[in-house]
Amino acid sequence: MFFVAILPLKFIMLKGRIIMKKFPVEDSDFVISGWCGKRPKCVQVAIKSEGVAVRNSNDTNKITLFFSHEEWSVFVKGVKGNEFNSTP
């Protein structure tokens, strides 16, 4: 089992190792895909020079995940390549 600890405003750690530096994001930095339409729940993404921040638009606590540009690029390539499609 893995535990992720978030240190105040600076780093995200996994098993005692820093895996991603957090960076400041404002509500105005986030965008929602046009594919969401009027759905109340959707993913919000903020692409900044320091990395990419992702959160659930329906989460009132605004818990945010942070990724490097490299991690985000690999994820987007997987989405475009249908790697996450559960339908055979």
Side-chain angles (χ1 to χ4, degrees):
M1 179 179 284
F2 293 98
F3 294 96
V4 175
I6 299 178
L7 300 177
L9 302 174
K10 296 206 180 204
F11 301 99
I12 298 173
M13 297 188 70
L14 176 64
K15 296 178 82 174
R17 221 177 90 213
I18 296 171
I19 58 170
M20 182 65 201
K21 184 175 181 181
K22 291 177 71 174
F23 49 88
V25 287
E26 302 293 329
D27 287 343
S28 61
D29 294 330
F30 287 91
V31 295
I32 298 175
S33 168
W35 288 95
C36 292
K38 295 186 185 232
R39 293 182 186 98
K41 297 179 183 178
C42 209
V43 173
Q44 295 178 314
V45 178
I47 299 176
K48 309 237 346 184
S49 61
E50 302 92 337
V52 179
V54 179
R55 69 184 187 190
N56 180 335
S57 65
N58 202 41
D59 180 7
T60 56
N61 294 317
K62 299 180 181 177
I63 296 172
T64 305
L65 302 173
F66 296 87
F67 301 94
S68 69
H69 288 287
E70 180 182 6
E71 291 168 322
W72 186 250
S73 176
V74 170
F75 172 72
V76 169
K77 286 177 184 175
V79 170
K80 288 180 178 179
N82 289 322
E83 293 180 21
F84 306 110
N85 188 351
S86 61
T87 308

